[in-house]
Amino acid sequence: MSWDALRAFCPAGFSNNSLKDGTITWVKISPSNNTVNGCRVLTEISMTQDANKAPSVAVKHGTHLVNLEKLGIDMSAVFTNEYPSVSEIKAFSCLISTTIFCTGFECEDNIIPDTCSKETWKVSNVNTDKARSKTCELLCDTRKDYCNQCIQVKKSVNKKRKRHENNGNKSKRIKEMNIDELRECLLTEKKLRHNAEMREKNLRAKLDSEMMEFEDEDDSDFKQLFALIEEKDLGGDMKLLFEQQKHCLSQKTSNAHRWHPRIIRLCLNIYARSPHAYDEISKVLILPSKRTLQYKKNRNPQDSGWCYESIRNLKTAADQKCLQDVDRWGGLCFDEMAIQEDLQMVKRNGKNELIGMVSLGGTHQDMQKLMTGELKTETATHILQFVFIGDGGFRYPVAHFPTKECTAATLYRLFWEGVHILLKGGFHVYWACCDGGENNRGFINLHFVGQTPRDSLFTTRNPLTGGKMVFIMDPKHNIKKIRNNIEKSRESGNNVLQHNGRKILWKYWFNAYTVDQTSNSVVVHEKLTEEHFQLTARSKMRNHLAENVLDRKMLFTMQTYKRHLSKQKGQEVTHLDAAIEVLKHTSKLIDFVNDIKNPVRDMSDTRLQDNLSFLQFLDNWHDSEETKNFFSSKLYFDMQSFIIGFQQMCKHKLTIFPASAIMAGIVNQDVVENVFCQARSYNGQNTNPTYDKYCKSQNSIIIGQKTISRKGNASITHS
């Protein structure tokens, strides 16, 4: 469009002004009759001709020039030619018409600051005094009524107005008070003074109750004792703590606090175990804020699957404990926990992500597509958790997977993938422990194609190292299964246990408990209660309830009950012999799997022989004519796995590290169950937390629990 054509053209909503000094001006008048300082509110677009260049453009709103750069307008990109086109002028004028301009804010004359200019607006025939910052940007965010500069000035004006009103009201009330108001004011002041005195009295009483008062001589002795302590005699952590406290006390504000990593780790351990305890300690020591601890705690997000970030954290934790190579040998325990079937939206790396679906890795999806021809997206109902347990007692949750039903084939792939990744991180896995789930038995059987696991001693070749991999069923679950098999053995039932022609009935245990409680002045088995015999679905999962009815005290109680019956009948009774025979073996097994003080140091340990005797007892019973009155086949398989597998585990480890020792008390799934219990407790005792809550609790679990178990195996024995 030529310059002459521009003179005749007028954008929609604007009126054309005359040409003056080579400048064309289009004016837009406010649709209402609003005025500022007696003048109509106008928006002007001025275009000045510039030879051989695109025309220069300026925009004014009222008496103020608009900064087009703040609108995000690059004029060289808007008008690309010497003469702009009609479409370019229409687009530019439309943008100016829809722009929201700052109108200043209402303010009284007596509190307008020097940084503002006064304006008188007339809106709907009503005059209003307004103030505008001298550096007003004119342009407003679509969500605000003023520009950023005016907003800052308005905040300071509001504070000044509030102080002015308070001072004015106070002076006004004092001058205009009558006798009743003066009395009321006096009563209020007395009440405030009384409350302040009571607060001071309560604080002093609390201080006196918590502080200890000594005699003058004792006080002098304590001062001398502390004065004699030299800095070099203080421990490293104690010295560091007091140096940090001294530094914090010297700072004027809490923003200047800088914390040593060891102090952060100490505070994280306390906070993860008990936030309330951390609050109480923070009252007497200057410690990092909860926000700082939460930032440090959540710095490592816990994602599903095997990831190298988790292995790096595992290696860092092991290095901090100065673990030797022998302590980095251990096993993988895995188990499942039910979660809520729900989807959650979380924000990671600035992007929203949907979690709560089954996630077993890309290989699982590829295999699913090959088998079914389609890729299904399912909501997870369980969590599959893997925990590494070192033979030195070191333990660490290394990976978890949201799943719906983890098949034996999927377990096979995930397990060996984890063994490979852990091996790269310097950790050798040579045994695996799981419970007696059907998929877990299938997982073990996959390693023994063409033969039974017992024929191979529940040991297969590790394809990554060429060494051995031993599979062990959790002994704590085996003990519960023995109790459950006996509990189902009733005279009127179909699952009656019988050995050498003598029945093993649950009522024998209950009768022995009843006689012990009623006939003896001092009970033999003080731990037995009605809860041990009136079992529910929840109580059947409690380990101690099963161990108490099969341990050494129960054996002694059953033998005492037999003597009681023999004395009553005048002859020795024999119907309890089979039950007593079972208790002789189970009591030794329970003592063995709970022993945390006496590790296995060589293969000639008598406890290993006791385990083999128990297995021989089960084999003879299974191969006899009473095989129909035997324990379940699943329990028989699990007992073989633990007894034979533990034998092979000890043999393999003691061959490679002859000076090492194995503690049976650590070879179980207690560590995995402990992770599940903590995950539930961190979410308000929620038995079925969501997947999002489970992930968020993982860092607290890792930080809060001890990485070295008190039941840990003795790493190296010293003669």
Side-chain angles (χ1 to χ4, degrees):
M1 181 182 291
S2 64
W3 191 254
D4 293 334
L6 282 174
R7 293 179 58 186
F9 175 76
C10 182
F14 287 79
S15 60
N16 187 248
N17 203 358
S18 59
L19 177 64
K20 182 178 180 181
D21 297 332
T23 301
I24 299 176
T25 303
W26 292 294
V27 179
K28 180 181 180 180
I29 304 174
S30 176
S32 59
N33 295 323
N34 299 342
T35 62
V36 181
N37 296 332
C39 301
R40 296 287 296 274
V41 179
L42 306 177
T43 302
E44 300 179 2
I45 301 178
S46 300
M47 187 174 296
T48 304
Q49 185 180 14
D50 193 355
N52 302 324
K53 293 182 180 180
S56 59
V57 179
V59 178
K60 291 179 63 177
H61 181 72
T63 59
H64 303 280
L65 189 65
V66 178
N67 187 346
L68 297 178
E69 292 183 358
K70 290 187 177 294
L71 272 175
I73 300 176
D74 183 4
M75 297 308 302
S76 62
V78 175
F79 299 145
T80 57
N81 302 316
E82 179 181 356
Y83 297 106
S85 63
V86 174
S87 60
E88 290 175 338
I89 294 177
K90 286 183 177 180
F92 180 72
S93 62
C94 181
L95 177 62
I96 298 301
S97 298
T98 56
T99 301
I100 301 175
F101 294 99
C102 177
T103 60
F105 56 91
E106 296 183 10
C107 185
E108 294 82 359
D109 289 341
N110 57 342
I111 56 175
I112 294 179
D114 296 335
T115 56
C116 292
S117 58
K118 178 184 175 184
E119 294 180 351
T120 302
W121 284 69
K122 185 176 181 181
V123 180
S124 300
N125 296 324
V126 178
N127 291 330
T128 305
D129 291 333
K130 289 190 175 184
R132 183 193 298 272
S133 172
K134 293 181 179 180
T135 57
C136 179
E137 298 174 352
L138 289 179
L139 306 175
C140 299
D141 191 334
T142 55
R143 297 166 296 177
K144 301 176 182 178
D145 296 328
Y146 317 108
C147 68
N148 293 331
Q149 295 295 329
C150 289
I151 288 176
Q152 296 298 326
V153 176
K154 187 175 183 295
K155 289 181 179 178
S156 61
V157 168
N158 288 340
K159 292 180 181 178
K160 185 176 180 180
R161 179 189 292 116
K162 186 175 292 187
R163 290 196 301 268
H164 182 76
E165 290 176 352
N166 292 338
N167 294 335
N169 291 338
K170 185 176 180 180
S171 60
K172 182 178 179 181
R173 286 186 61 85
I174 292 176
K175 292 179 180 179
E176 298 179 358
M177 278 185 183
N178 54 32
I179 187 65
D180 294 331
E181 291 174 339
L182 286 173
R183 288 174 178 171
E184 183 180 356
C185 181
L186 180 61
L187 291 175
T188 303
E189 292 295 333
K190 287 183 176 180
K191 185 177 180 180
L192 292 175
R193 180 180 177 181
H194 175 73
N195 292 340
E197 291 176 349
M198 291 301 298
R199 283 197 300 271
E200 180 184 3
K201 182 179 179 181
N202 293 335
L203 288 174
R204 289 186 179 277
K206 184 179 179 181
L207 183 64
D208 293 339
S209 63
E210 295 180 356
M211 298 291 288
M212 298 180 65
E213 185 176 357
F214 295 95
E215 296 290 340
D216 294 339
E217 294 182 359
D218 294 335
D219 180 68
S220 177
D221 292 340
F222 275 117
K223 290 180 179 179
Q224 291 181 11
L225 288 174
F226 285 112
L228 292 174
I229 297 177
E230 296 185 6
E231 186 175 350
K232 63 180 182 180
D233 296 331
L234 294 175
D237 292 339
M238 184 182 296
K239 180 180 178 181
L240 178 62
L241 176 62
F242 282 105
E243 286 179 351
Q244 289 268 262
Q245 295 299 305
K246 182 179 179 181
H247 173 74
C248 293
L249 290 171
S250 64
Q251 302 300 318
K252 295 182 179 179
T253 63
S254 60
N255 296 331
H257 295 167
R258 298 295 181 267
W259 303 101
H260 193 279
R262 281 156 60 186
I263 299 297
I264 291 290
R265 285 198 297 269
L266 171 65
C267 295
L268 274 175
N269 288 335
I270 300 173
Y271 179 74
R273 287 181 173 88
S274 175
H276 296 293
Y278 187 79
D279 290 338
E280 294 299 321
I281 298 175
S282 299
K283 294 178 181 179
V284 294
L285 293 176
I286 302 176
L287 298 176
S289 64
K290 288 185 177 180
R291 183 176 180 180
T292 301
L293 296 181
Q294 290 171 354
Y295 170 77
K296 296 290 185 181
K297 177 173 69 73
N298 298 324
R299 186 170 51 182
N300 297 321
Q302 296 293 327
D303 297 326
S304 63
W306 293 103
C307 53
Y308 288 98
E309 182 65 28
S310 296
I311 304 304
R312 281 196 295 268
N313 296 336
L314 167 66
K315 192 173 184 301
T316 301
D319 292 340
Q320 290 175 354
K321 299 297 181 181
C322 302
L323 296 187
Q324 304 175 16
D325 291 339
V326 62
D327 298 325
R328 298 175 191 247
W329 283 60
L332 269 182
C333 289
F334 53 91
D335 198 3
E336 286 185 333
M337 182 188 81
I339 60 173
Q340 291 184 29
E341 190 174 357
D342 191 18
L343 297 178
Q344 300 90 36
M345 188 75 70
V346 298
K347 201 163 189 176
R348 294 178 178 174
N349 299 324
K351 296 182 180 179
N352 292 323
E353 181 179 345
L354 189 65
I355 63 173
M357 294 175 291
V358 174
S359 177
L360 295 172
T363 305
H364 172 78
Q365 295 178 348
D366 295 339
M367 294 300 295
Q368 185 185 46
K369 192 171 183 180
L370 286 173
M371 291 187 296
T372 62
E374 59 181 357
L375 188 61
K376 293 183 179 179
T377 301
E378 298 178 298
T379 308
T381 59
H382 290 77
I383 284 288
L384 175 63
Q385 178 72 58
F386 285 86
V387 178
F388 174 79
I389 307 177
D391 289 340
F394 179 77
R395 53 185 178 173
Y396 198 92
V398 288
H400 68 269
F401 298 85
T403 179
K404 197 175 189 74
E405 181 181 0
C406 195
T407 63
T410 303
L411 270 177
Y412 185 96
R413 180 182 59 80
L414 295 178
F415 174 79
W416 285 107
E417 182 182 354
V419 172
H420 186 207
I421 293 177
L422 286 168
L423 183 62
K424 287 183 177 180
F427 297 88
H428 296 262
V429 177
Y430 71 100
W431 57 271
C433 182
C434 57
D435 61 20
E438 194 61 37
N439 289 333
N440 294 339
R441 293 191 193 91
F443 159 73
I444 294 177
N445 288 324
L446 284 176
H447 295 83
F448 307 99
V449 180
Q451 57 184 341
T452 64
R454 180 164 183 175
D455 293 338
S456 300
L457 303 178
F458 289 89
T459 305
T460 189
R461 179 179 176 273
N462 187 336
L464 302 173
T465 63
K468 294 183 178 181
M469 180 65 68
V470 184
F471 299 98
I472 300 173
M473 286 296 185
D474 180 24
K476 299 299 183 72
H477 279 76
N478 292 343
I479 293 171
K480 287 187 288 188
K481 289 178 182 177
I482 294 174
R483 188 275 317 275
N484 293 341
N485 274 250
I486 297 175
E487 190 266 339
K488 294 177 183 177
S489 179
R490 304 174 188 270
E491 288 182 326
S492 59
N494 298 323
N495 301 315
V496 179
L497 299 178
Q498 183 172 317
H499 179 61
N500 289 336
R502 296 182 177 88
K503 295 181 179 180
I504 304 174
L505 302 177
W506 181 242
K507 70 176 184 179
Y508 296 164
W509 271 258
F510 182 73
N511 292 339
Y513 159 73
T514 304
V515 171
D516 184 33
Q517 295 289 322
T518 57
S519 301
N520 300 325
S521 57
V522 178
V523 295
V524 177
H525 201 330
E526 74 282 356
K527 294 183 179 180
L528 290 183
T529 62
E530 291 290 336
E531 187 180 9
H532 288 77
F533 302 96
Q534 306 300 329
L535 297 174
T536 62
R538 183 181 294 272
S539 62
K540 285 183 179 181
M541 301 302 296
R542 306 298 297 273
N543 288 343
H544 75 280
L545 295 181
E547 293 175 359
N548 289 342
V549 297
L550 297 173
D551 61 5
R552 192 174 298 276
K553 286 189 175 181
M554 189 69 235
L555 171 62
F556 187 50
T557 303
M558 190 69 74
Q559 291 172 336
T560 304
Y561 175 56
K562 179 183 177 180
R563 290 193 295 269
H564 174 78
L565 293 180
S566 300
K567 185 177 180 180
Q568 278 186 342
K569 295 183 178 181
Q571 61 180 2
E572 184 176 1
V573 296
T574 59
H575 67 279
L576 299 176
D577 290 349
I580 293 175
E581 184 70 16
V582 171
L583 285 172
K584 287 180 180 179
H585 291 292
T586 58
S587 60
K588 293 179 180 179
L589 178 66
I590 291 173
D591 290 342
F592 178 63
V593 299
N594 289 327
D595 194 345
I596 60 175
K597 296 181 179 180
N598 303 304
V600 176
R601 303 181 186 277
D602 54 66
M603 296 303 297
S604 61
D605 194 303
T606 57
R607 294 171 296 175
L608 296 179
Q609 304 306 317
D610 291 337
N611 290 344
L612 293 177
S613 298
F614 191 10
L615 181 59
Q616 186 63 45
F617 169 77
L618 296 176
D619 290 339
N620 295 336
W621 188 359
H622 178 265
D623 297 336
S624 67
E625 296 179 356
E626 298 172 320
T627 184
K628 294 183 179 180
N629 303 104
F630 182 60
F631 291 126
S632 66
S633 59
K634 296 179 181 179
L635 173 58
Y636 184 44
F637 179 90
D638 296 349
M639 288 299 300
Q640 294 177 81
S641 174
F642 170 70
I643 295 175
I644 298 175
F646 190 82
Q647 294 277 134
Q648 295 302 310
M649 171 187 167
C650 295
K651 183 178 179 181
H652 181 59
K653 183 64 179 295
L654 294 174
T655 301
I656 299 175
F657 300 100
S660 62
I662 306 296
M663 187 78 72
I666 201 174
V667 186
N668 52 56
Q669 283 192 304
D670 286 354
V671 289
V672 188
E673 296 294 343
N674 185 41
V675 171
F676 292 157
C677 289
Q678 291 185 76
R680 296 184 184 106
S681 64
Y682 277 117
N683 294 288
Q685 295 296 341
N686 189 349
T687 56
N688 286 43
T690 63
Y691 177 65
D692 180 39
K693 291 182 178 180
Y694 184 86
C695 291
K696 291 179 179 178
S697 64
Q698 287 300 293
N699 281 322
S700 297
I701 293 172
I702 293 172
I703 294 171
Q705 72 176 3
K706 292 182 179 180
T707 54
I708 300 294
S709 171
R710 66 185 182 90
K711 299 187 294 184
N713 300 336
S715 301
I716 300 292
T717 58
H718 301 277
S719 57

